[in-house]
Amino acid sequence: MTDIPKDRSRTGDGTRAVRAGLPEPVKHEPTLPGPVFAAHFHLPGEVTGPYSYGRDDNPTWTLLERAIGELEAPGRDDVETLVFASGMAAISSVLFSQLRAGDAVVLPSDGYQVLPLVRAQLEAYGVEVRTAPTGGDAQLEVLDGARLLWIESPSNPGLDVCDIRRLVQAAHAQGALVAVDNTLATPLGQRPLELGADFSVASGTKQLTGHGDVLLGYVAGRNAEAMAAVRRWRKIVGAISGPMEAWLAHRSIATLQLRVDRQNATALAVAEALRQRPEVSGLRYPGLPDDPSHKTAAQQMRRYGCVVSFTLPTRARAERFLEALRLVEDATSFGGVRSTAERRRRWGGDAVPEGFIRMSVGAEDPEDLIADVLRALDESAESAE
Ligand SMILES: *Cc1c(COP(=O)(O)O)cnc(C)c1O
């Protein structure tokens, strides 16, 4: 593989996204080299160079890791990015490589629904787990003596936001590392490393790849020693991305800015339409000027995401609403070009009301989507009579 081409850190997001991670052009070669399927590489004699065994490294990962690195930390060459089999593989690689028995860690109490399982595992290994809600910077109160602060902002599914710069400052002042789950924002919405965090961790399964057909995760970090431990963890656990998934992800990043701008603009329009409806309560979208998250979000985010959360009066009403939608699939996950929505309580994990809906806004025409949502709200009310 060839070297990283000239500096793209000063271009716009769209320009950077379409070229992110591409090697210098080579005559008769494709712009984005195809996936390299290899369990092992020719390795005569001494072990030199990066590619020897497919669990340790792969040229298709290398290009994708460069692409994500260029988006998470444009213009910085002190940042290392590692891709993983899934967002959970990436999250676990940071937590389990950095924490030892006797350490304390601060996790969000309102974060991704698998975190309670991670918590139980950490506790089984003798790590003290403290939790705090995302909004209001409540993490500050439980930070004392912690080794790692884990932030999820905006939080999934409640869409609360915390002041990342402020929390990083407090954590670093007492020697704690900070990791930010950047899944919901994507690197075009928020760049945690520039806000001071040590790790930006994300699921690439969501809006980063955006087509609902790939599971992927990554860790970008600027602390070389910590990242060496994360890399070692990937090798030990073997939670590696397949070359095909890595290649699909890289191909999808070319359209990231297009998708994000379209989906996020429509998400704001959907939120504005929902707020007119008397049956909708607890409407949350960080891009709404009067959302409780907006002030802090505006200080640290450049785009506000494609997820809108709201609550309908009852479980039955929410179920009828989801069933009445024609352009929005009842499915979990978020960030894809096809809109999805679900009643979050069906999983049992999140502390949300029975009628709580998390909607992921896709790339459909905004008028079509809003009309579908409003019609489904009307129909779900009528059938209650
Ligand atoms: C989906 C998600 C994850 C987990 O990612 P997977 O790719 O499904 O393993 C982690 N954090 C957040 C905020 C998520 O939304």
Side-chain angles (χ1 to χ4, degrees):
M1 291 295 151
T2 48
D3 266 348
I4 312 174
K6 290 158 212 80
D7 181 20
R8 283 192 285 266
S9 65
R10 282 181 298 276
T11 64
D13 288 333
T15 309
R16 195 175 307 122
V18 296
R19 302 216 64 86
L22 297 183
E24 287 288 8
V26 177
K27 195 172 181 181
H28 307 312
E29 292 293 329
T31 307
L32 174 63
V36 176
F37 297 104
H40 55 85
F41 300 82
H42 289 299
L43 190 66
E46 294 297 306
V47 176
T48 53
Y51 306 116
S52 51
Y53 189 58
R55 184 175 6 84
D56 297 336
D57 235 326
N58 174 292
T60 309
W61 302 351
T62 305
L63 296 180
L64 174 62
E65 288 168 346
R66 282 182 191 170
I68 295 170
E70 286 175 28
L71 298 175
E72 281 281 351
R76 292 181 61 152
D77 49 19
D78 60 340
V79 169
E80 181 177 1
T81 305
L82 296 168
V83 295
F84 286 83
S86 66
M88 283 316 302
I91 289 172
S92 295
S93 79
V94 172
L95 291 168
F96 291 97
S97 71
Q98 303 303 314
L99 298 166
R100 311 267 175 285
D103 286 344
V105 60
V106 178
L107 297 181
S109 56
D110 51 356
Y112 183 58
Q113 62 168 345
V114 179
L115 288 182
L117 298 178
V118 174
R119 174 189 186 154
Q121 195 62 53
L122 287 166
E123 286 172 343
Y125 290 156
V127 174
E128 181 199 340
V129 180
R130 306 171 187 166
T131 61
T134 298
D137 301 342
Q139 299 92 333
L140 293 172
E141 273 140 54
V142 289
L143 208 49
D144 194 31
R147 163 114 187 86
L148 179 71
L149 167 62
W150 190 273
I151 290 171
E152 190 178 302
S153 180
S155 60
N156 168 19
L159 304 180
D160 270 321
V161 166
C162 55
D163 185 339
I164 296 176
R165 274 194 203 88
R166 180 178 179 214
L167 293 173
V168 163
Q169 232 169 26
H172 284 177
Q174 48 142 44
L177 292 168
V178 180
V180 176
D181 184 326
N182 206 29
T183 304
L184 206 136
T186 83
L188 295 192
Q190 174 170 277
R191 299 202 288 247
L193 300 176
E194 286 180 2
L195 300 170
D198 301 282
F199 305 97
S200 180
V201 186
S203 167
T205 312
K206 314 290 169 61
Q207 203 175 18
L208 185 81
T209 59
H211 292 72
D213 52 10
V214 168
L215 280 129
L216 191 94
Y218 68 84
V219 179
R222 54 197 185 84
N223 177 324
E225 197 185 323
M227 286 307 288
V230 172
R231 180 183 281 277
R232 184 169 163 274
W233 183 262
R234 184 174 70 176
K235 179 185 175 93
I236 301 172
V237 175
I240 55 166
S241 165
M244 190 67 202
E245 280 75 8
W247 183 85
L248 278 171
H250 199 162
R251 195 184 82 142
S252 302
I253 284 174
T255 57
L256 181 62
Q257 188 250 20
L258 280 175
R259 290 184 282 105
V260 163
D261 278 355
R262 164 69 161 219
Q263 292 174 242
N264 294 14
T266 309
L268 178 61
V270 167
E272 279 164 350
L274 286 169
R275 82 172 343 154
Q276 311 298 331
R277 300 289 301 213
E279 67 271 61
V280 168
S281 64
L283 175 67
R284 296 299 303 270
Y285 182 69
L288 279 174
D290 58 353
D291 187 274
S293 291
H294 184 70
K295 196 164 156 283
T296 309
Q299 291 167 23
Q300 63 195 22
M301 298 182 75
R302 301 158 66 233
R303 295 174 173 89
Y304 300 109
C306 65
V307 178
V308 177
S309 294
F310 59 97
T311 301
L312 292 177
T314 61
R315 170 180 173 162
R317 176 76 192 270
E319 285 171 344
R320 287 198 306 270
F321 167 70
L322 291 170
E323 208 174 321
L325 288 165
R326 291 180 196 143
L327 298 178
V328 183
E329 292 165 19
D330 188 345
T332 194
S333 196
F334 60 83
V337 289
R338 294 170 205 94
S339 292
T340 58
E342 69 172 335
R343 199 178 65 82
R344 232 8 229 183
R345 262 299 274 279
R346 67 179 174 175
W347 295 93
D350 301 320
V352 293
E354 286 287 355
F356 182 99
I357 304 258
R358 186 186 70 187
M359 178 171 174
S360 171
V361 174
E364 298 86 357
D365 290 296
E367 315 78 70
D368 293 338
L369 196 58
I370 290 167
D372 194 44
V373 166
L374 297 180
R375 185 194 45 75
L377 281 174
D378 288 342
E379 279 181 19
S380 60
E382 280 155 22
S383 49
E385 311 295 330

